Amino acid sequence: MATLNLPTAARFIDIVGGTAEHEWQACPALQALPELELCHLVPPRSRAVILAPHPDDETLGCGGLMARLATMMRNITVIAVSDGEGSHPTSSPLAPQLPRLRAAERQDALRCLGAGQAEVLRAGIADGRVQRDREQFKAWLKARLLPTDIVFAPWRLDGHPDHEAVGNVAAELEHELGCKLIEVPIWGWHWADPQGRSIPWGRARKLALDPASEWKKRRALRCYRSQVAPDGERAEVLPAAVLAHFVRPYEVLFV
């Protein structure tokens, strides 16, 4: 899956030749982002709810956030939208094991983040079919969210159909329930132009990671062995150039 073409021609995921991290580091808008205070982002009596279309999305986008919240003894719930069974072709020897394997990798990653006690709720939506089953997912999620929740969901223009469907459902529930939505760019770092207008810089903020949280996130990312290691003759799903976007000393959120 070197390139995933999307309905909007201007946005696509190019694993091999996407936007390099050094281009983002040279982006003045990224460097000048204002910082968030975590205690204001997730108030003491609120629960942080992390929506992960696939196992690893919660760590890629919010691993540092979860590490910091765990040290503060805050309530964290991870919504496992799919089991990630579509990350490898059926010809891969890993294919039959993926739902169990990727769930185990997520749990290992949460332990590395210090968030091993986080609640994980499985929605059971098929990988790649979130848009098709969006009403089923929305009803399932609506029954589990509280008005006081702070919901972290993939950016609604992230470039992956599952990510965008999850983000749009979360936006609708913010309006219906009153919970607060924070959008998290994940695939956007691979297709967006740092000098263009794709990123909503006016809404973007940095959440700084202390050295311990940054180290925990790096360790957690290595737990996703099915994604970061080659599968026989097939290249890794998340090569080093992709992971480089997620080992910054901060995470970017759209508020």
Side-chain angles (χ1 to χ4, degrees), residues 73-218:
M73 305 298 289
R74 296 294 179 81
N75 290 329
I76 303 170
T77 294
V78 174
I79 302 295
V81 181
S82 83
D83 294 331
E85 69 276 12
S87 66
H88 291 58
T90 55
S91 59
S92 167
L94 289 181
Q97 312 169 46
L98 284 172
R100 175 193 57 79
L101 178 60
R102 297 196 67 186
E105 290 173 343
R106 178 180 56 229
Q107 201 57 48
D108 287 345
L110 289 174
R111 281 193 286 268
C112 283
L113 294 171
Q117 299 305 311
E119 179 182 39
V120 178
L121 301 179
R122 177 179 172 271
I125 304 297
D127 189 354
R129 301 296 182 91
V130 181
Q131 180 59 35
R132 183 197 67 176
D133 296 335
R134 73 181 312 279
E135 293 308 314
Q136 173 189 338
F137 172 60
K138 181 179 177 181
W140 181 93
L141 184 60
K142 187 174 185 177
R144 290 160 175 81
L145 288 182
L146 302 171
T148 54
D149 286 337
I150 311 300
V151 179
F152 296 83
W155 180 30
R156 281 169 282 177
L157 295 177
D158 201 41
H160 189 294
D162 283 349
H163 289 211
E164 296 190 359
V166 170
N168 279 310
V169 165
E172 292 175 10
L173 292 179
E174 178 185 38
H175 176 72
E176 295 175 19
L177 298 177
C179 50
K180 174 65 176 175
L181 171 63
I182 306 295
E183 293 185 78
V184 184
I186 299 176
W187 283 113
W189 298 119
H190 307 297
W191 61 259
D193 176 4
Q195 308 307 322
R197 299 182 179 180
S198 304
I199 300 295
W201 294 116
R203 297 172 50 213
R205 301 289 185 273
K206 281 182 181 177
L207 178 70
L209 306 183
D210 58 274
S213 297
E214 186 182 352
W215 177 74
K216 289 175 183 177
K217 182 175 181 178
R218 287 173 179 264

